[in-house]
């Protein structure tokens, strides 16, 4: 593997491609880390590029309007990719082939085939490739992961996970709601977070088949738009919307377990609801969050001790979020852990999402093979 630094101080030089909310989370994380310097940005919006460049002290000559210029400039060692989904694969592959380590936003890519090209590029170049699943860095998820690993719940045979929004279509008419740019709707956007969280907690079982359905009942009518800042509805009476706004899937797991997954951008519900629930032979557990009128978060673990019902209260660390994802990525780069961090785990999620969309389109169960 090539050396991860190219300057005498040993400082990692970082770049970020994509100037939206996600890209800004990466910028902020790099700016907080010791031994890392944010030295380059790339994005299509000149005003935002100038503003963020000034904010993070990026020299004008390293503010690029075209991502390919940043990749070719030989000015960074690591790069974050926070572009629309359809660009994750081409940008990542080009960066890996240029000798850079890459942290890409989720979802890994708009298709499983595109995600495979990213893994192939990481392997042939012996570079680190990570995908930013920031929600698995939540404190309650990390705490529950330890509980599962301890064996307290026994064998987990059934799980449910979902993220349902009341009104949360991210920009009606934006790239999020266009199949050609996003690859899909809430399953691709927020459902993949819950899929990642569930499989992470379950110990990475293989998904052997998927049976799924998708619906588009709000977006095509111009309803269900997010009211929040960067994701608020775009202008125009007729939204450009050709993805689903709800997806539900029944996933069979290796070893006989099952996972029920659902995600939606808009529903007639009182408030946003997120959850992951685990059913084990010796105990059960659930994480829930959402909110109205006040945000709530709950972690519950139920079992028995000497025949007496017991509810456990584990220590819950602070949330890691994007900062922890970027920290883990930088640590993998410094450790030369390219074999362990080649994107394979995220590729498995991309294959599951592919199977769900295929099942919905064909109205039948789809096998993911061995």
């Amino acid at each position: 593997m090539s050396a991860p630094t190219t300057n005498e101080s040993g400082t990692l030089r970082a770049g970020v491609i994509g100037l939206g909310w996600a890209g800004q989370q990466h910028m902020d994380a790099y700016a907080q880390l010791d031994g890392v310097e944010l030295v380059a940005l790339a994005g299509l919006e000149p005003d935002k590029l100038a503003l963020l460049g000034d904010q993070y002290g990026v020299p004008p000559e390293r503010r690029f309007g075209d991502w390919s210029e940043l990749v070719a400039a030989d000015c960074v060692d690591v790069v974050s990719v926070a572009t629309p989904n359809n660009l994750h694969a081409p940008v990542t592959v080009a960066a890996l082939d240029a000798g850079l380590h890459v942290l890409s936003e989720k979802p890994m890519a708009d298709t499983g085939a595109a995600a495979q090209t990213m893994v192939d590029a990481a392997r042939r170049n012996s570079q680190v490739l990570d995908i930013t699943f920031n929600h698995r860095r939540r404190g309650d998820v990390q705490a529950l992961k330890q509980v599962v690993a301890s064996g307290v719940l026994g064998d987990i045979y059934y799980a449910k996970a979902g993220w349902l929004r009341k009104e949360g279509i991210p920009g009606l008419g934006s790239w999020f709601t266009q199949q050609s740019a996003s690859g899909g709707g809430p399953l691709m956007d927020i459902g993949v977070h819950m899929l990642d969280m569930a499989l992470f907690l379950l110990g990475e079982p293989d998904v052997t088949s998927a049976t799924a359905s998708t619906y588009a009942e709000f977006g095509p009518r111009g309803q269900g738009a997010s009211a929040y800042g960067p994701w608020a509805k775009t202008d125009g009476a007729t939204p450009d919307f050709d993805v689903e706004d709800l997806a539900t899937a029944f996933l069979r797991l290796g070893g006989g377990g099952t996972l029920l997954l659902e995600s939606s951008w808009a529903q007639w519900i009182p408030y946003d609801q997120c959850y992951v629930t685990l059913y084990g032979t010796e105990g059960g557990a659930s994480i829930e969050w959402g909110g109205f009128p006040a945000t709530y978060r709950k972690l519950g673990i139920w079992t028995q001790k000497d025949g007496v019902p017991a509810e456990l209260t584990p220590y819950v660390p602070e949330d890691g979020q994007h900062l922890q994802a970027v920290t883990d990525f930088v640590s993998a780069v410094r450790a030369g852990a390219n074999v362990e961090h080649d994107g394979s785990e995220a590729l498995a999620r991309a294959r599951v999402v592919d199977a769900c969309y295929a099942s919905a389109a064909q109205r039948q169960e789809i096998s993911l093979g061995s």
Side-chain angles (χ1 to χ4, degrees), residues 85-89 107-112 114-115 179-184 188 354:
N85 301 342
N86 65 323
L87 293 177
H88 288 183
M108 187 173 189
D110 55 343
T111 68
Q179 173 75 28
S180 60
S182 65
M188 187 73 73
D354 268 3

Side-chain angles (χ1 to χ4, degrees), residues 16-17 39-44 49 60-76 79 91 94-95 98 100:
V16 176
I17 298 173
V39 301
L41 300 175
L44 297 176
L49 185 60
E61 66 273 16
R62 291 184 177 171
R63 304 175 189 178
F64 303 96
D66 188 320
W67 64 263
S68 63
E69 294 175 351
L70 186 155
V71 170
D74 193 26
C75 63
V76 299
V79 65
V91 175
L100 307 180

Side-chain angles (χ1 to χ4, degrees), residues 162-208:
W163 187 333
L164 307 177
R165 288 178 178 168
K166 179 182 179 181
E167 291 178 299
I169 298 175
L172 276 169
S174 74
W175 68 265
F176 278 99
T177 66
Q178 299 174 40
Q179 173 75 28
S180 60
S182 65
L187 176 59
M188 187 73 73
D189 179 32
I190 54 179
V192 73
H193 271 308
M194 306 313 296
L195 174 64
D196 175 73
M197 190 183 300
L199 295 180
F200 173 70
L201 289 170
L202 292 171
E204 300 301 327
D206 291 333
V207 178
T208 60

